[in-house]
Amino acid sequence: MARRPGWRAIKRHRSYTYEEAARALRTHKNTIAHWAKSRGLPVLTGGKPHIILGCDLIDFLRARKERHRVRLKPGEFYCFGCKTARRSAEGLVEALPGDTGPVNLRAICPACEQLMHRRVARARIGEFCADLSLTV
Ligand SMILES: [Zn+2]
């Protein structure tokens, strides 16, 4: 999935129609309309054109990002299948070869059995794998 411009693409002191907001965020105007109708994005006008304030849109996008963010603890991976933090199945973690820089770790999700990846700073690998069995 391509990374979309986030709230930084929106100007706080501007107002936007759905079309303008969609263009700035490179999304569809129906997405903006959906946020307004069902997700609590404030709209100034009852009819067309629907006007939303830049500051409202920024607050909405930031709150949304905050909700979606998953903080990983040491030993945890983000599973794209489950869309949440998971520990590896049976504590098994594999480190991919490489001598310098962050270490690429690989593990299997215990719930959906997808491969999960995480990069960990080499200096923190001991802390990360404290209660895992690491194979290289
Ligand atoms: Zn999973």
Side-chain angles (χ1 to χ4, degrees):
M1 195 173 75
R3 184 179 285 264
R4 294 213 166 101
W7 58 269
R8 278 170 231 273
I10 301 297
K11 294 189 170 58
R12 182 166 286 276
H13 298 290
R14 248 202 78 174
S15 59
Y16 293 83
T17 63
Y18 288 178
E19 287 80 2
E20 289 166 342
R23 212 174 302 133
L25 296 170
R26 276 192 251 144
T27 185
H28 197 273
K29 72 173 168 46
N30 289 352
T31 302
I32 311 291
H34 172 71
W35 291 347
K37 212 181 267 176
S38 318
R39 294 282 185 265
L41 173 65
V43 187
L44 286 189
T45 47
K48 287 180 181 179
H50 300 284
I51 302 291
I52 45 189
L53 295 178
C55 56
D56 286 341
L57 188 52
I58 288 171
D59 290 347
F60 175 83
L61 291 169
R62 292 178 75 167
R64 191 166 175 270
K65 191 175 168 203
E66 204 53 48
R67 273 198 308 277
H68 281 243
R69 184 180 294 158
V70 174
R71 286 179 201 285
L72 298 178
K73 297 186 198 69
E76 285 183 343
F77 291 78
Y78 183 81
C79 175
F80 283 96
C82 303
K83 295 193 168 42
T84 188
R86 295 279 185 206
R87 297 188 62 85
S88 73
E90 291 161 27
L92 296 176
V93 177
E94 190 183 7
L96 303 184
D99 295 330
T100 55
V103 184
N104 290 299
L105 299 176
R106 199 157 75 171
I108 305 283
C109 172
C112 71
E113 300 186 341
Q114 275 201 33
L115 215 47
M116 308 182 291
H117 294 268
R118 186 169 175 192
R119 283 160 74 88
V120 173
R122 197 162 290 264
R124 298 188 55 209
I125 206 79
E127 173 197 349
F128 184 87
C129 294
D131 54 350
L132 302 171
S133 43
L134 183 70
T135 57
V136 181

